[in-house]
Amino acid sequence: MTYLPIILLAVLALGFAIVVLRLPRSAWTLFAAALVFGLAGYALQGSPGFGGSPRAAVEDPDQTGGALVEARRSLFGPNPPSSYVTMADGFARQGQFATAAGILRSGVDADPNDTEAWIALGNALVQHADGRLSPAALYSYAQARKSAPDSPGPGFFLGVAMIRGGDLADARALWADMIARAPADAEWREQLQQRLDMLDALIARMNSGKPTE
């Protein structure tokens, strides 16, 4: 039961990065490898498929941190991030999430409308807390959404954090609300709906008591 949520998370993140965030083809292999190595360690140590189960640290935080950096960067395309984000990304790639979060706090203080910095801060805080969504992380994602209400990025990464923590129902509610509120012609709407359908199938299977391995 542990492995399917982890596999789903990897598929959701990779698929979203490729189709919606337009991750360059040349980076597909690197991004996929980072997801596999980072999330495999987490799958071996925890049981994220069960709500209320203890959260375990990722065995290779540098790999997971790098994957999140690449996915987030894909969302913002060729536009370079602020110097704060660039510096923080270097620490996040090495698994030094507390240091990254400290730098990003300075970044959002300097520019409260820096959407990418807010998302990066939320991701760093979640990673530092071993997958737990702290009030500070939730606030960071909320600020990112406030600064860019039409961007799917804040909600997507918040949903990924929820799935990693085993909060599948909350992730489902969040993504369903995003789809309901999205313009009919939003480029990312259909792709997120497909991810939501996958999540619904997983939740239904878990609720039925059938094995998911």
Side-chain angles (χ1 to χ4, degrees):
M1 201 166 196
T2 295
Y3 298 106
L4 190 54
I6 293 298
I7 294 171
L8 174 64
L9 173 55
V11 171
L12 288 171
L14 180 59
F16 195 90
I18 291 174
V19 178
V20 180
L21 305 185
R22 299 178 182 176
L23 185 69
R25 182 179 294 273
S26 60
W28 288 8
T29 301
L30 177 61
F31 183 40
L35 283 173
V36 170
F37 287 122
L39 296 177
Y42 179 68
L44 290 173
Q45 294 186 43
S47 296
F50 293 96
S53 64
R55 271 53 166 177
V58 178
E59 184 173 318
D60 297 310
D62 56 321
Q63 296 292 343
T64 305
L68 289 172
V69 168
E70 294 302 326
R72 193 204 70 242
R73 278 276 67 229
S74 298
L75 176 64
F76 292 90
N79 297 323
S82 69
S83 58
Y84 293 98
V85 174
T86 299
M87 187 182 304
D89 282 351
F91 286 101
R93 291 178 188 276
Q94 299 301 316
Q96 299 180 40
F97 301 114
T99 302
I103 294 170
L104 291 163
R105 286 191 183 98
S106 297
V108 297
D109 284 344
D111 182 4
N113 293 315
D114 188 339
T115 304
E116 184 169 9
W118 280 116
I119 293 176
L121 177 57
N123 291 345
L125 290 170
V126 170
Q127 291 296 102
H128 178 59
D130 296 335
R132 291 184 293 272
L133 268 169
S134 65
L138 287 169
Y139 177 78
S140 297
Y141 290 125
Q143 290 300 107
R145 187 172 186 177
K146 180 180 178 181
S147 65
D150 296 330
S151 172
F156 172 70
F157 284 105
L158 175 56
V160 168
M162 288 175 173
I163 293 173
R164 177 187 167 184
D167 299 324
L168 305 188
D170 288 342
R172 193 241 176 257
L174 171 64
W175 286 354
D177 182 67
M178 288 175 61
I179 292 170
R181 294 173 178 271
D185 60 349
E187 294 182 2
W188 51 269
R189 197 172 191 272
E190 181 179 354
Q191 300 302 323
L192 187 58
Q193 180 64 59
Q194 293 176 7
R195 272 69 190 168
L196 181 61
D197 291 342
M198 294 171 62
L199 188 56
D200 281 341
L202 173 62
I203 292 172
R205 192 168 184 84
M206 292 175 66
N207 289 340
S208 72
K210 296 180 180 179
T212 56
E213 294 187 33

